[in-house]
Amino acid sequence: MIKQYLIEKKSWIIFILFLQLFQLFMASIDETISFYSMGYICFISMLLFLLFAIFQYQKETTFYKGLSTREDDLDHTTLPKAKTPYEKIIVESFSKQTTTLKKERNQNLQQLELEKDELLSWIHEVKTPLTALRLLIDSIDNHEMKAALTFEWLRIHHLLDQQLHQKRFSFIQNDLYIENINLENILFDEIKTLQSWCIQKGIGFDVDLQENTVLTDGKWLSFIIRQLLSNAVKYSNNSDIIIMSYDNHGYTCLNITDNGIGITLQDLPRIFEKGFTSTSKHQNTHATGMGLYLSKKIADALKITIKVESTINIGTTITLTFPKNNAFDQLLH
């Protein structure tokens, strides 16, 4: 703050120094003025000026120190108390801007909530004809057409599902219902949804669940598993997807392993970034880059660790590790 204060008062300091030098100059050319006396006067003047500057520094910087340390929020009550007319102008300007920004923020939040509610309502309404469409697809006898329509139906279903969970995620803490969840039920429900697609691609499942119960939110966990299984099926052909759960030093782990195209080394650290798809040649043009991003965000909220290991052209293993001493345990009592 001292450096900023000196820069702010630079013109005053230069002016005072100029006056002292000017007085010494006049004393040097005017024989009637004692140069020694003028030098003594200038010394005393500079000493008094220095003391005055220190006093003013303490007084004038208090307000600005308060401004620099306050939080960047819209609470104008945290503004430091103004004492000088200029400080009062600053506080008044801040207060007016804060009031305007608060009003705009509230209007934007209301509009955003309205649009979110409308989108959620639209998604739920679309699910009804989508369910009817699935029944119509199941009644088709032409297997090739049925497989193609089922694939497109799954794409629409997953895109709507991603949008639904993306909009809900902002209030996930209010939406959690923690209970003991049966992993087998969730896995088999999701596998059943992917059944037609798996038959088309010649993909089977090898499920071995040594640990079958975890304490978590079933709805949000289902979304995570849905995304992981969909990716495993999407990037695999004519192979089995191995699903196994086990106890690892008190932690329940769930592994999903595919024998697909794998993930390149440069892509691996970025797969959970929002909107990231792939930098390799096998990039899927239909990928949105949202599935794994949302899965990671939801997993963090559920205190689940996601670890990914992959080798190009060999396959990928994703491990979900559930917390040992589950932080949600207290909610059950």
Side-chain angles (χ1 to χ4, degrees):
M1 188 62 76
I2 295 178
K3 182 179 179 181
Q4 290 90 333
Y5 181 77
L6 292 175
I7 294 174
E8 177 68 23
K9 300 298 182 182
K10 181 175 64 175
S11 58
W12 285 94
I13 295 171
I14 293 174
F15 180 69
I16 293 297
L17 291 174
F18 172 78
L19 286 179
Q20 304 307 309
L21 292 174
F22 179 75
Q23 292 178 89
L24 291 173
F25 173 74
M26 293 300 296
S28 66
I29 63 175
D30 191 343
E31 296 180 354
T32 61
I33 302 175
S34 171
F35 185 83
Y36 176 79
S37 298
M38 183 59 67
Y40 180 73
I41 292 172
C42 288
F43 173 75
I44 296 298
S45 298
M46 290 302 297
L47 183 61
L48 292 174
F49 173 70
L50 180 62
L51 294 174
F52 175 76
I54 294 174
F55 172 77
Q56 285 297 109
Y57 170 79
Q58 299 293 336
K59 180 181 177 182
E60 294 180 13
T61 57
T62 301
F63 175 78
Y64 297 101
K65 285 180 179 178
L67 280 182
S68 63
T69 56
R70 70 182 291 269
E71 294 184 6
D72 294 329
D73 53 24
L74 297 180
D75 185 8
H76 61 82
T77 60
T78 61
L79 288 171
K81 185 178 180 181
K83 296 180 179 179
T84 67
Y86 282 158
E87 291 176 359
K88 290 179 181 178
I89 292 174
I90 293 174
V91 170
E92 184 178 353
S93 177
F94 263 85
S95 299
K96 288 181 179 179
Q97 290 182 6
T98 300
T99 302
T100 302
L101 289 174
K102 274 186 175 181
K103 185 178 180 180
E104 291 180 357
R105 183 192 65 177
N106 292 335
Q107 290 176 347
N108 290 336
L109 286 175
Q110 290 177 0
Q111 182 65 27
L112 184 62
E113 286 296 322
L114 179 61
E115 291 178 358
K116 183 169 66 176
D117 291 341
E118 290 176 349
L119 180 58
L120 290 175
S121 176
W122 179 82
I123 291 174
H124 284 294
E125 289 178 4
V126 169
K127 281 190 172 184
T128 301
L130 198 63
T131 302
L133 180 62
R134 180 57 189 268
L135 295 175
L136 292 174
I137 293 174
D138 289 340
S139 65
I140 296 176
D141 294 329
N142 187 318
H143 294 292
E144 291 185 1
M145 181 181 294
K146 183 177 181 179
L149 290 174
T150 299
F151 173 72
E152 298 301 330
W153 181 90
L154 280 171
R155 284 182 56 201
I156 298 173
H157 174 70
H158 286 155
L159 288 173
L160 287 174
D161 192 55
Q162 284 182 10
Q163 282 295 316
L164 181 63
H165 286 81
Q166 183 180 357
K167 297 304 178 184
R168 283 179 173 172
F169 181 77
S170 59
F171 46 89
I172 185 174
Q173 297 300 331
N174 299 327
D175 191 47
L176 291 177
Y177 181 70
I178 307 303
E179 58 182 338
N180 288 308
I181 298 299
N182 188 296
L183 284 176
E184 182 178 350
N185 292 340
I186 290 180
L187 286 166
F188 281 30
D189 285 344
E190 298 303 328
I191 290 173
K192 185 178 180 181
T193 304
L194 299 170
Q195 183 178 7
S196 299
W197 192 16
C198 293
I199 293 173
Q200 177 189 358
K201 302 192 70 176
I203 293 174
F205 290 89
D206 183 0
V207 182
D208 179 18
L209 302 178
Q210 298 177 17
E211 296 291 328
N212 194 35
T213 303
V214 292
L215 188 64
T216 188
D217 183 286
K219 178 176 60 180
W220 291 99
L221 178 61
S222 295
F223 176 82
I224 296 174
I225 292 177
R226 189 177 309 134
Q227 300 305 310
L228 301 183
L229 290 180
S230 298
N231 282 349
V233 174
K234 182 188 299 183
Y235 297 112
S236 301
N237 282 294
N238 300 314
S239 61
D240 283 349
I241 295 172
I242 302 172
I243 303 174
M244 57 184 298
S245 66
Y246 54 92
D247 180 85
N248 183 20
H249 302 291
Y251 294 89
T252 298
C253 298
L254 177 67
N255 280 8
I256 300 176
T257 303
D258 65 64
N259 297 304
I261 56 179
I263 304 170
T264 59
L265 190 61
Q266 66 267 25
D267 286 353
L268 203 55
R270 302 183 58 193
I271 59 175
F272 294 118
E273 293 180 7
K274 185 176 183 179
F276 180 76
T277 53
S278 174
T279 60
S280 57
K281 294 181 180 179
H282 58 69
Q283 177 177 344
N284 189 305
T285 57
H286 300 303
T288 63
M290 293 300 296
L292 288 179
Y293 164 76
L294 288 173
S295 297
K296 183 65 168 62
K297 297 275 286 184
I298 294 169
D300 290 342
L302 295 175
K303 307 187 187 306
I304 299 173
T305 303
I306 301 183
K307 180 182 178 182
V308 181
E309 297 175 333
S310 185
T311 303
I312 197 70
N313 296 325
I314 293 179
T316 302
T317 297
I318 297 183
T319 303
L320 301 181
T321 303
F322 296 86
K324 185 175 183 179
N325 298 317
N326 203 303
F328 303 121
D329 199 17
Q330 58 183 339
L331 299 178
L332 296 179
H333 304 289

